[in-house]
């Protein structure tokens, strides 16, 4: 179990697994919350929100990327651009 040492947070990686950026990877929620029963801080790395759009080309725009990150359990963003994009994502849904 990854949180036995008392960690209260972890950061999603920049890379992708099976073509899905880790910041949007469903395995974050599946393992951390469902398997381990831990609901602590899962954070983006700085720049990873933008990378899901520009580098990975996984999402068409930043609000959609923000929604995708939240859906898989991301609950803290290190990107300075997250506020406006999370707000826009919440207005879309």
């Amino acid at each position: 179990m990854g949180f036995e040492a008392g960690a209260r947070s972890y950061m999603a990686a920049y890379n992708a697994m099976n073509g899905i950026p880790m910041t949007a990877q469903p395995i974050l929620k599946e393992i951390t919350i469902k398997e381990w029963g831990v609901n602590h801080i899962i954070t983006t790395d700085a720049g990873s929100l933008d990378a899901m759009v520009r580098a990975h080309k996984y999402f068409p725009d930043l609000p959609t990327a923000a929604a995708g990150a939240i859906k898989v359990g991301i609950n803290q963003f290190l990107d300075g651009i997250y506020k406006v994009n999370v707000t826009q994502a919440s207005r879309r849904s």
Side-chain angles (χ1 to χ4, degrees):
M1 210 181 267
F3 283 85
E4 288 179 0
R8 298 280 180 212
S9 67
Y10 72 89
M11 180 179 289
Y14 282 123
N15 64 311
M17 183 176 90
N18 297 328
I20 303 171
M22 290 309 295
T23 307
Q25 179 56 256
I27 199 170
L28 295 179
K29 184 179 268 186
E30 290 169 8
I31 291 177
T32 305
I33 298 169
K34 292 179 182 176
E35 186 177 321
W36 293 345
V38 175
N39 195 8
H40 295 310
I41 296 169
I42 306 173
T43 187
T44 64
D45 206 337
S48 63
L49 187 61
D50 186 60
M52 291 196 298
V53 175
R54 294 177 193 249
H56 293 287
K57 298 185 184 347
Y58 192 73
F59 291 109
D61 55 46
L62 290 168
T64 306
I70 292 167
K71 181 179 177 182
V72 301
I74 296 288
N75 52 23
Q76 179 175 321
F77 291 85
L78 296 183
D79 295 280
I81 59 172
Y82 83 92
K83 288 180 185 178
V84 68
N85 294 297
V86 168
T87 300
Q88 288 180 14
S90 66
R91 288 182 181 153
R92 289 181 183 178
S93 52

